[in-house]
Amino acid sequence: MSTTSTSAEAQPATGGPAARHAQAPAPPGPRSPGPATDDGRIGLRANLRHIGALVRRNALQIRQDPESMFDVLLMPIVFTVLFVYVFGGSVGASLGGDRHDYLNYVVPGLMAMMGMNIAMAVGTGMNDDFRKGVMDRFRTMPIARSSVLIAKIVVEIGRMLVATAILLGMGFALGMTVQTSVLGLLAAVGLSLLFGAALMWIFILLGLTMKTAQAVQGVAMLVLMPLQFGSSIFAPTKTMPGWLQGFTDYNPLSNLADAARGLVDGGPVTHSALMTLAWSAGITLVMAPLAVRKFRDKT
């Protein structure tokens, strides 16, 4: 009896539920992760999604700060009334007409001026965002660095479009007429938006380089004043000195103003439009990579 009991106790129990559970094969565990294949690049779809989210963020920021739209809403009205009623009589007479003729002359030129002034605001806004630490937070996120800058430009193009619409509305209210067609007017607006977007890359780079927003604005004004008044925006260049006429011939604002004027009022367009497109492409190709690199390296 004792031998039998000892043998029974020495044999493992194979019939009980606990024993069956112990002998069952273990379920397969989670697979070990394979080697990482992500090289840090962000795809086009993700990049567009990031740009859309940042555009919405910038638009909401404008909604929370409506005073930031005062320049867009008031500047076209002030400039149109100021130049038409201060210079319209004398310059209109030099054009062989009157104030109405000057209105048709200056409004297409002012579209170029709107783009440059709004582009300057991009640089000061970028500098202010860095000072507040907003851009430092963006740079810690897994998003393309260019998406932050592109979203900024998209919103500013929207602001530029609003300013251009108000400018044209004010011009039509004062008696401006389109001598060509609606398509010509839309082409002039599109050309102005394209050139304004190219200029924004310059001022973004300037905003990333200068230490304060006041410095950005000061340097920008030193650039804006000669380009604006040394152009055909406000008056014909035929009465200017020879050396200044040479400058206006290569001034991109003169090319844009002449192209917009030809598209709206009629006249030669091809040379001025091609020069404006060449300036826009050249500025973007040179300044956009520099701005993105500066944004990435800025501390």
Side-chain angles (χ1 to χ4, degrees):
M1 288 294 295
S2 60
T3 304
T4 304
S5 299
T6 304
S7 300
E9 290 177 0
Q11 295 176 357
T14 58
R20 287 195 301 268
H21 179 73
Q23 293 177 355
R31 294 181 179 180
S32 59
T37 59
D38 187 8
D39 58 357
R41 296 179 182 178
I42 298 176
L44 177 60
R45 182 179 299 180
N47 203 346
L48 293 176
R49 186 170 63 251
H50 299 159
I51 292 174
L54 291 169
V55 166
R56 183 174 180 272
R57 174 258 176 191
N58 292 335
L60 291 175
Q61 189 178 21
I62 294 176
R63 181 180 178 181
Q64 295 174 357
D65 183 22
E67 291 85 358
S68 63
M69 290 292 291
F70 282 177
D71 58 337
V72 172
L73 300 176
L74 300 179
M75 185 169 56
I77 299 174
V78 172
F79 281 160
T80 304
V81 173
L82 180 65
F83 284 103
V84 168
Y85 288 102
V86 173
F87 301 107
S90 58
V91 180
S94 68
L95 293 172
D98 53 11
R99 182 174 286 111
H100 180 269
D101 296 296
Y102 182 69
L103 176 65
N104 282 356
Y105 179 90
V106 75
V107 169
L110 286 177
M111 287 195 293
M113 184 177 174
M114 293 296 105
M116 197 150 195
N117 287 331
I118 292 177
M120 180 182 68
V122 178
T124 57
M126 182 65 64
N127 186 281
D128 190 57
D129 284 342
F130 254 105
R131 183 180 58 84
K132 294 178 179 177
V134 176
M135 293 302 169
D136 290 333
R137 181 180 179 185
F138 286 154
R139 292 193 300 177
T140 62
M141 297 180 178
I143 58 177
R145 300 297 179 256
S146 60
S147 64
V148 180
L149 306 184
I150 293 174
K152 189 79 171 176
I153 289 178
V154 169
V155 173
E156 294 302 322
I157 288 176
R159 282 173 22 98
M160 192 187 307
L161 187 59
V162 172
T164 303
I166 295 175
L167 172 67
L168 293 175
M170 191 65 190
F172 289 136
L174 295 178
M176 173 186 165
T177 57
V178 178
Q179 305 295 331
T180 55
S181 64
V182 176
L183 291 179
L185 177 62
L186 294 178
V189 172
L191 202 61
S192 301
L193 295 177
L194 179 65
F195 184 73
L199 289 179
M200 290 178 192
W201 289 109
I202 298 178
F203 288 99
I204 285 176
L205 181 60
L206 189 62
L208 295 173
T209 304
M210 307 302 292
K211 293 183 178 180
T212 63
Q214 291 80 4
V216 174
Q217 189 172 10
V219 173
M221 290 303 297
L222 291 176
V223 177
L224 288 178
M225 297 298 286
L227 287 177
Q228 288 179 351
F229 289 97
S231 70
S232 61
I233 291 179
F234 308 111
T237 61
K238 59 184 178 181
T239 59
M240 296 180 181
W243 62 269
L244 188 54
Q245 288 187 29
F247 173 77
T248 60
D249 290 340
Y250 294 97
N251 188 341
L253 290 184
S254 291
N255 291 306
L256 176 56
D258 293 341
R261 201 171 286 123
L263 289 168
V264 175
D265 299 332
V269 175
T270 304
H271 174 73
S272 300
L274 290 177
M275 289 295 293
T276 302
L277 292 175
W279 272 107
S280 302
I283 291 173
T284 303
L285 290 175
V286 173
M287 292 298 170
L290 293 177
V292 173
R293 179 179 298 179
K294 186 65 176 179
F295 177 77
R296 184 186 300 115
D297 299 339
K298 185 176 175 63
T299 58

